[in-house]
Amino acid sequence: MGTTYETVKGEGSVTMLNRLFGNYLVEKGKLTLEQLDTLLPVKKQFKAEVEVISIVTKVLTPAAVQELLQNMDKESEHFGEAAVNSELITDDKLDEILSHQSNDFMKFLQLLVDDDYISYEDINQELDAFQQKNEWNDEQLNALIHDDLEQCIDLFAQFESPALKELTKTFVQTFRRLIDRDVYLEKAIPADSIQLDKCASQMIIGDMRIKVYISAPGDDLLSIANYFTGDTYDTVTEDALDSVGEFINCVNGLFATNMSYEDVSVDMNSPEYSAEGPFISNETLYVIPMHVNGCIVKIVLEVYQ
């Protein structure tokens, strides 16, 4: 019997960076995967503190934060107020810092500090090392921190085609809304052929022709099927594959609507599925690994010129 997934509903964080940075900390031994799973998704009502935000934005050093915390009257002053009174920051800078309290990555860092997984001194050291490992510049890291989805897609799927960028963005947005709020990507891989595992697919027709597949081995497609409908499957049955096909249809329908605003006419054939994935060969294939509910699924875009 395969893994059974439980549908997750409710509100939480929406960002790729929490999982990406969290996985990096797991690799470093700062926390375990189980501990990371308990931290995510971050609740919407949770707020990051001025101390953490001021360190991440490099407004204050960790040493300055620690010194002020030791010297301030914690019973009568908030940290931000004490920082202004000590002339470490201005009122305007405090307002700017406070505007980041609901930023999902800032909130995640706050949880890491609160649970003693990292210290104030660790924050920027680990962020800098994480940034260097991924070879991201400051602008790219900032795009991830603030979840600028357009720029985030460019980091992982460097398509020349605006339509493929839009389709990938629609996938991420729909996964977030319906399947997994912390879905994240690996870099898209160009290919000319691929052997698929169990999969569902749908052909986009009209002003463009793209066949869209979602494929995964074993029962990993349950990471989608058991979150998209009210049904729960123990293994990837035909009904489960049909559910994945309907999810693709949902994504492509939203994509078609978005394209219509650009005067591009897009329609779709009926979804298909296969319990034994086909071997596909095409001069223009893109494989986009997506981490969804603890599994890796492949979004495959087969582009017909």
Side-chain angles (χ1 to χ4, degrees):
M1 181 176 290
T3 304
T4 300
Y5 299 85
E6 294 182 358
T7 302
V8 175
K9 300 294 182 184
E11 296 182 338
S13 66
V14 179
T15 179
M16 290 192 221
L17 189 53
N18 286 354
R19 275 287 174 187
L20 290 167
F21 186 62
N23 287 344
Y24 163 79
L25 293 178
V26 170
E27 292 172 8
K28 292 285 296 287
K30 294 285 186 178
L31 71 164
T32 67
L33 184 58
E34 291 75 17
Q35 289 167 333
L36 176 60
D37 287 340
T38 65
L39 295 176
L40 298 175
V42 182
K43 296 188 185 325
K44 276 195 173 182
Q45 61 268 29
F46 185 72
K47 301 290 184 185
E49 300 292 343
V50 173
E51 299 94 300
V52 166
I53 300 168
S54 64
I55 291 172
V56 176
T57 55
K58 299 183 178 179
V59 172
L60 295 175
T61 65
V65 168
Q66 294 278 25
E67 183 177 357
L68 183 57
L69 284 170
Q70 290 172 1
N71 295 330
M72 64 181 277
D73 184 349
K74 296 184 179 67
E75 292 185 2
S76 62
E77 280 186 308
H78 293 295
F79 180 88
E81 178 187 3
V84 171
N85 291 338
S86 300
E87 299 184 346
L88 293 174
I89 60 175
T90 64
D91 283 313
D92 288 343
K93 182 58 69 174
L94 177 58
D95 288 341
E96 182 182 331
I97 290 170
L98 292 173
S99 71
H100 297 315
Q101 283 193 297
S102 295
N103 177 279
D104 288 306
F105 185 61
M106 299 292 185
K107 295 194 293 184
F108 177 54
L109 291 175
Q110 184 68 55
L111 285 175
L112 291 171
V113 171
D114 290 349
D115 290 350
D116 294 323
Y117 294 126
I118 60 174
S119 65
Y120 289 136
E121 291 79 6
D122 288 339
I123 292 175
N124 283 338
Q125 292 178 13
E126 295 295 354
L127 268 177
D128 289 345
F130 171 73
Q131 179 180 356
Q132 291 172 16
K133 177 185 177 183
N134 288 283
E135 300 181 343
W136 291 326
N137 60 37
D138 289 345
E139 182 181 354
Q140 290 169 325
L141 181 61
N142 191 60
L144 283 163
I145 289 174
H146 295 286
D147 197 49
D148 184 327
L149 195 51
E150 294 278 355
Q151 291 190 57
C152 290
I153 295 300
D154 285 338
L155 284 179
F156 298 99
Q158 298 174 344
F159 297 130
E160 293 183 6
S161 164
L164 292 182
K165 289 182 184 180
E166 181 64 32
L167 180 54
T168 305
K169 184 175 77 171
T170 306
F171 257 108
V172 172
Q173 290 171 326
T174 311
F175 266 117
R176 286 177 169 183
R177 188 163 57 249
L178 301 177
I179 306 295
D180 178 10
R181 294 179 291 271
D182 285 315
V183 65
Y184 64 98
L185 311 179
E186 293 181 18
K187 288 198 173 180
I189 305 165
D192 52 24
S193 64
I194 185 173
Q195 175 64 56
L196 298 181
D197 297 295
K198 298 172 185 177
C199 70
S201 63
Q202 185 176 48
M203 187 74 187
I204 294 173
I205 57 176
D207 290 343
M208 62 184 69
R209 290 176 58 81
I210 305 170
K211 193 160 188 180
V212 179
Y213 302 81
I214 298 182
S215 176
D219 288 323
D220 284 0
L221 286 179
L222 295 182
S223 63
I224 297 173
N226 283 354
Y227 289 74
F228 184 57
T229 67
D231 298 316
T232 300
Y233 307 97
D234 292 329
T235 60
V236 176
T237 61
E238 289 189 355
D239 286 341
L241 288 172
D242 184 58
S243 178
V244 177
E246 288 304 316
F247 174 72
I248 297 175
N249 185 63
C250 176
V251 173
N252 288 342
L254 292 168
F255 171 68
T257 299
N258 293 339
M259 287 292 95
S260 70
Y261 301 142
E262 305 296 327
D263 294 324
V264 177
S265 178
V266 172
D267 202 351
M268 296 89 69
N269 291 337
S270 297
E272 304 171 340
Y273 58 83
S274 173
E276 296 181 3
F279 176 83
I280 56 176
S281 178
N282 189 307
E283 289 184 0
T284 311
L285 284 174
Y286 297 99
V287 182
I288 308 171
M290 285 201 181
H291 291 252
V292 183
N293 288 319
C295 298
I296 301 176
V297 303
K298 292 175 181 174
I299 310 298
V300 179
L301 307 179
E302 182 179 10
V303 182
Y304 293 83
Q305 305 294 341

